[in-house]
Amino acid sequence: MQGKLYLCATPIGNLEDITLRVLRTLQEVDLIAAEDTRNSIKLLNHFQIKTPMTSYHEYNKIEKAYQLVEKMKAGQDVALITDAGTPGISDPGEELVCICQEAGIEVTSLPGAAACITALSMSGLPTRRFAFEAFLPKEKKERAFILSALEGETRTVILYEAPHHLRKTLEELLAALGDRRLSVCRELTKKYETVLATTLSGACAYYKEHEPRGEFVLVIEGRSQKEIIEKRRESWAGVPLEAHMEHYESQGIPRKEAMKLVAKDRGIPKRDVYAMLL
C-alpha cells in the first residue's frame, strides 16, 4: 500500500496551540519533512518525538518533493511541517501537495494555527470576505503591480511583514491605497502579542517613533463600494456623452447595452442617457 502525506499545522508561537492529533501523527509517521530542521528539532524535542526528520524548503522543493513521493509510493507515511503555522500557506508545501496529487498520493491536512486567520479574527475588521497576499513581492515591478491591484480591492487584505521592512511597506501601502483602517498584529500567540487598531497614516507615524520588533501581520480595510462608484463617476464626469458611448460601442457592445453601461458609470437613469443622445 502507498503511504500518505500529512500536512501538520504547528504553533506560530505558543507551543500549547499544537493539537493532540498532530502530536500523535508526528509520532506515528515514518518521516517528518521540515522547512528548517534546526528550528523543528526544538519542537520535536519539547514533545519527546523521535521520528526521523529531513529538510524540505524553498531551495530543494521540487527535487526533494519527487524523492518524498517515491518514499510514499514505497509505503512510507510522511508528515510535512513548517517553521510555524499550516503547511502550504505561503511556503513551499504547495508544490509538494501538487506533485503528490499528480502521483496519486493521498494528502490530508491536520488543521491548526495559521497567522493570517489568527490576525483576521482579532483585527476588528470585516471577516466575511478577505484577500491573503502573504509577503509583498521583492521585485520592484511585480510589487508595484500588486499594490496597484490592491488599490481597488474591496475585501479585507492580509499581509505579512518582517520588522526591518515594516516602515517602508507601510509608507508604500499608504501611497498606493490611501488612508484606511488597519490592524497591526504583532508576535501573535506569544508573550508580547499586541494588536494596534489604527490607520495606515497612524501606523506610519507610530513606527517612526517606535522601533518595529517581532513578526507582523497587517490586516487592512478593503475599499468601500461607495468609494469605487464615486471615483468611477468622477472619472467620466468630464467626458462627452458621445465619446463615452463610443468607448463601449467600439468594443462591439450593442447600443442599448452601451447605454446601460454609460448610465451606470455616470450614476444616472438610462432614460436620461437616451434623452441626451436624442
Side-chain angles (χ1 to χ4, degrees), residues 171-182:
E171 291 169 0
E172 288 178 312
L173 288 168
L174 178 60
L177 310 183
D179 206 8
R180 299 190 190 178
R181 286 195 298 160
L182 163 74

Side-chain angles (χ1 to χ4, degrees), residues 227-246:
E227 183 185 354
I228 292 174
I229 291 170
E230 288 176 351
K231 188 167 184 178
R232 183 169 64 211
R233 290 175 181 175
E234 290 173 5
S235 68
W236 286 109
V239 178
L241 192 63
E242 293 78 6
H244 198 162
M245 285 289 293
E246 175 61 21

Side-chain angles (χ1 to χ4, degrees), residues 204-217:
C204 287
Y206 179 85
Y207 284 106
K208 281 182 180 178
E209 301 296 327
H210 299 82
E211 184 70 24
R213 296 182 185 277
E215 298 301 317
F216 290 86
V217 183

Side-chain angles (χ1 to χ4, degrees), residues 29-161:
V29 294
D30 300 291
L31 182 66
I32 297 172
E35 187 175 9
D36 187 337
T37 55
R38 296 166 301 178
N39 181 67
S40 296
I41 193 64
K42 301 173 186 176
L43 176 72
L44 299 188
N45 286 341
H46 180 82
F47 291 106
Q48 300 180 349
I49 296 170
K50 306 299 182 182
T51 306
M53 186 165 49
T54 187
S55 63
Y56 179 77
H57 48 70
E58 182 66 28
Y59 303 103
N60 70 355
K61 61 185 179 182
I62 302 300
E63 178 186 0
K64 193 59 172 285
Y66 284 105
Q67 294 176 17
L68 293 172
V69 163
E70 289 304 312
K71 292 181 182 295
M72 286 180 274
K73 282 183 176 180
Q76 291 191 28
D77 287 327
V78 176
L80 177 66
I81 59 177
T82 66
D83 287 347
T86 300
I89 306 299
S90 187
D91 68 46
E94 62 180 303
E95 278 83 3
L96 178 57
V97 172
C98 182
I99 291 171
C100 281
Q101 289 182 343
E102 290 174 351
I105 299 294
E106 186 178 356
V107 179
T108 188
S109 180
L110 283 61
C116 55
I117 299 300
T118 303
L120 177 64
S121 67
M122 61 197 300
S123 68
L125 295 173
T127 60
R128 189 177 69 84
R129 299 172 63 247
F130 61 92
F132 175 56
E133 283 291 338
F135 288 93
L136 289 173
K138 293 181 180 179
E139 200 277 319
K140 192 173 181 179
K141 286 185 178 179
E142 188 180 358
R143 190 179 182 93
F145 174 80
I146 295 297
L147 286 170
S148 176
L150 291 178
E151 191 269 338
E153 180 59 71
T154 59
R155 295 170 292 180
T156 299
V157 177
I158 307 170
L159 298 173
Y160 290 161
E161 193 50 277

